[in-house]
Structures are given as structure tokens and as C-alpha cells.
Amino acid sequence: MLWQKAIGGTAAAKKQYIAVGNNGNIITAYPWSSSGFGTKFSDPSTLPAGDTVYSAAFTPFGDAISVASNGSPYITAYPWSSSGFGTKYANPGTLPTGTGRGTAFSPSGSAIAVVHSTSPYITAYPWSSSGFGTKYANPGTLPTGTGNGVAFSPSGDAIAVAHTTSPYITAYPWSSSGFGTKYSNPGVALTGTSYSVAFSPSGNAIAVVNNASPYIIAYPWSSSGFGTKYSNPATLPTGTGFGVAFSPSGDAIAVAHATSPYITAYPWSSSGFGTKYSNPATLPTGTGYSVAFSPSGDAIAVAHNLSPYITAYPWSSSGFGAKYSNPATLPTGTGFGVAFGAI
């Protein structure tokens, strides 16, 4: 459910990739360029377990990809290169306890987190070129229900979980020792199950989407945690928000949601939401479950529940451009998670 920022050079100078977590073929990945989707990469030789991948994430360096799925070990990771998937990393020594719903790497690439359906609802590990390290201790205060989405702050000093029961969003300091003492809940509480969370690239805002109007809520963020809630956007998303992402430059925010137009985007600034961008001329074909901007910031993609399961558009300060052609080989089922990477 995360775009991954390119490290060590401009994103535009790097090769870019897009991956879609889905049911059916599980994980589908393509080269990405200004022309859109390239020829599908071969599937990994060892597929994720289960029949659905709910989330995918590339490391900040683009040298590995992780997926969260509904079959044990619930989190699966592979080396990644310009040739696609490498040989699966060994499973972590201590597995997550239930269906993986979201995954993210820390900005330094030294940690990986997965949120899941059974207590403790979030599990994190050190990460290196060797794969998973020894599981970090659980947070002292756990999220209160199934973790649906997870994000690290851009500076890597905080981690946030979107989950199913009140307070619906839980955040912690993060360090090389793992989880710190839970931050206080936001002053204006969320009112329903949260599905995705994202920090702005500057790290001064946090946004979460959920199943109750206004469907997206954003707060200032600082080392003290949540600030006073931003005003709701003047034009709300039309249904349950399942995915949220900020553009790499931090000047836009997008929501994947139930109910047409399935994708809604706004300018973003220190004042919060701007006036909604016009809908794309060609809409996604069904409920949007995840949204991501390309590392170079000139494209946006949404994963959804009806064929072609992934839809992408050019992106600029004017908003959505004309839809890219569908990939020649489509994902084989509902797109639940989309991620871009660059290497």
C-alpha cells in the first residue's frame, strides 16, 4: 500500500518497477517507464503462501521486495534486480501470527514491519542483505485489533499502524531498539476501521483512511506525535478509503476508495487539503484498494477489484493525465496492493 522513495540519485535516472499484490497469481510485477507498463516479469519460483497478497513494498534501495499474504509465513521477501524476483529469502525465525495485511521497510532499509490479523497485530524485524533478523520485542501497548496498514516516518523515528478497533490508529517511536512507548491517541478520534496510513515525505503530516465519513483524516505530525486534525477536504471521497499515498514531492495526496470514481486526489500543503483534482477521464473499473505514486512522481497507479485490476495515469501539477494502456499480461485477480520501486 506504499510508494518507495529512490535513494542515492534521482528517481528519474533509475529503472523503475511496479508490483501488484492480488489474488490468483499472487504477485505480478512489471518494468515501468514513461511509456507505462513493460513486459511482465516471470513469477517468483517460490510463490507467497495462500491465495491472496494484500500488500507489497520495495526496499528504499529497490534491492528487495516484500509481500504480506493470507498463508503462513504471512510475510515473504525476495531479492529484486532488473531481472525481477530472485530466490526467496528464508522465512523469519518467528513468524507473524496471522494473515499479513500490510508491509513496509524503514527508510534506512534496516527494518521491516508487517501488520496482521492476530495479536500482537504488528511484527517487526531487522532487515539486511541476508534477509530477516531476530524479531523485535512487541510494543508495550499493542494495537487494539487487526492491523491493516503500516508506515514508517520518512526520518525513520516513528511507525504507525492503521487497524480495526478504536482508536483505529496507533503510533510509536522507532529506533534501532524497535518500538518505543506508544504516542498519545489523536485529540480528534477516528470513527471507524482504518485501512491504510501514510506520512508526508517531509514527515510533518500523517494521513489515515477508514470506513466512516470523511473517509480520510490527516493530522500534523512531530516528535510529540499527532497534532490538531486538519480540516476535512471540501469534497470528500465517495466511500470507504482503503489506500492513501502522498506524492514524492509532498504536494498531493491520493485516496483509493469504494464507490465511483474509486480514486480521489487533492493538492496538499502545510494548510492541508486543497481543492479536489478533476477525476481521471477514464476511471478505474471498481473499488480502489491501494494507490501509489511512482518514485519520479510523474505517474500514479491504483489497484482495484475488477479487470484490468491495475490502472495507471500520468501525474502532474494539473492532476491525472490520460490513462496508460493496460499491461499486456494482466494480474489474474483483484488488486489489493500496489507499490513502485527504483534501482
Side-chain angles (χ1 to χ4, degrees):
M1 299 191 179
L2 302 171
W3 59 270
Q4 297 293 327
K5 194 172 182 179
I7 304 294
T10 63
K14 293 174 174 280
K15 292 182 178 179
Q16 298 185 76
Y17 308 94
I18 185 171
V20 185
N22 54 280
N23 60 17
N25 205 39
I26 308 296
I27 182 72
T28 307
Y30 310 87
W32 180 263
S33 71
S34 58
S35 301
F37 298 95
T39 302
K40 175 185 171 292
F41 287 105
S42 297
D43 296 336
S45 56
T46 303
L47 294 176
D51 61 9
T52 303
V53 164
Y54 288 105
S55 178
F58 288 93
T59 65
F61 308 102
D63 59 353
I65 184 173
S66 67
V67 299
S69 69
N70 68 343
S72 181
Y74 307 115
I75 181 75
T76 303
Y78 307 89
W80 182 264
S81 72
S82 59
S83 300
F85 297 96
T87 302
K88 175 185 170 293
Y89 286 103
N91 297 335
T94 303
L95 300 183
T97 54
T99 294
R101 299 303 301 263
T103 180
F105 289 95
S106 66
S108 65
S110 61
I112 184 174
V114 56
V115 288
H116 45 86
S117 61
T118 307
S119 182
Y121 306 117
I122 181 166
T123 301
Y125 308 89
W127 179 262
S128 71
S129 58
S130 300
F132 297 95
T134 302
K135 175 185 172 291
Y136 287 104
N138 297 334
T141 303
L142 300 181
T144 55
T146 293
N148 288 320
V150 60
F152 286 92
S153 65
S155 59
D157 61 356
I159 187 172
V161 182
H163 51 85
T164 57
T165 52
S166 181
Y168 305 112
I169 182 75
T170 299
Y172 308 89
W174 181 264
S175 71
S176 59
S177 301
F179 298 96
T181 302
K182 175 185 173 291
Y183 286 105
S184 297
N185 297 333
V188 176
L190 295 162
T191 55
T193 292
S194 295
Y195 290 100
S196 183
V197 59
F199 288 92
S200 64
S202 63
N204 63 2
I206 185 172
V208 60
V209 290
N210 68 351
N211 69 349
S213 182
Y215 305 116
I216 181 166
I217 294 178
Y219 307 88
W221 180 263
S222 71
S223 59
S224 301
F226 297 95
T228 302
K229 174 185 170 291
Y230 286 104
S231 297
N232 297 333
T235 304
L236 301 181
T238 53
T240 295
F242 289 110
V244 61
F246 286 92
S247 64
S249 60
D251 61 356
I253 186 171
V255 183
H257 55 83
T259 313
S260 183
Y262 307 115
I263 180 76
T264 298
Y266 309 89
W268 179 263
S269 71
S270 58
S271 301
F273 298 96
T275 302
K276 175 185 173 291
Y277 286 105
S278 297
N279 296 334
T282 303
L283 299 181
T285 54
T287 294
Y289 284 117
S290 181
V291 60
F293 288 90
S294 64
S296 55
D298 58 358
I300 185 173
V302 58
H304 48 85
N305 73 329
L306 296 175
S307 183
Y309 307 114
I310 182 73
T311 299
Y313 308 89
W315 181 262
S316 72
S317 58
S318 301
F320 298 96
K323 175 184 171 292
Y324 286 105
S325 297
N326 296 335
T329 303
L330 299 182
T332 55
T334 295
F336 286 107
V338 58
F340 283 95
I343 191 170

